[in-house]
Amino acid sequence: QVHLVESGGGLVQPGGSLRLSCTASGNIFGINAMGWYRQAPGKQRELVASITSGNRKDYADSVTGRFTVSMDNAKNTVYLQMNSLKPEDTGNYYCNVEAIPFTDQWTAGEVYDYWGQGTQVTVSS
């Protein structure tokens, strides 16, 4: 089983910074991509940033220039550096990984999406 643990959320003032971390562990054959989604109360979950194992990055228009996503392949960890935070950035942030698990000792399974438990980010004065 693949398990994600994320951390780094908290309460910050507008203009402040936070760094989110998410580490994948378990029976992982390989990781295709990792990313961050956020969900505000009463709204749909939206993609914030993603990164592939080949270091291709994608950002939501609302965070471009302020957020930076990165990956440590050796540690199976993705980070989201969030600068110049705005109240509109408030929400529960979820880590996502597209990974290929081991189904047994010798067999790789099919790619599957896994989700972290979420970490709350609140931007308020």
Side-chain angles (χ1 to χ4, degrees), residues 30-43:
I31 293 176
N32 294 334
M34 303 183 80
W36 294 93
Y37 291 72
R38 69 186 178 192
Q39 187 170 21
K43 294 187 176 181

Side-chain angles (χ1 to χ4, degrees), residues 7-21 36 66-69 79-86 89-91 93 119-124:
S7 62
L11 173 64
V12 296
Q13 295 183 343
S17 298
L18 286 172
R19 192 190 193 204
L20 307 184
S21 299
W36 294 93
R66 300 187 297 120
F67 291 10
T68 302
V69 65
Y79 305 95
L80 185 66
Q81 179 66 47
M82 304 185 293
N83 298 326
S84 301
L85 283 162
K86 304 175 180 179
D89 296 317
T90 294
Y93 283 66
T119 184
Q120 180 67 35
V121 172
T122 302
V123 185
S124 176

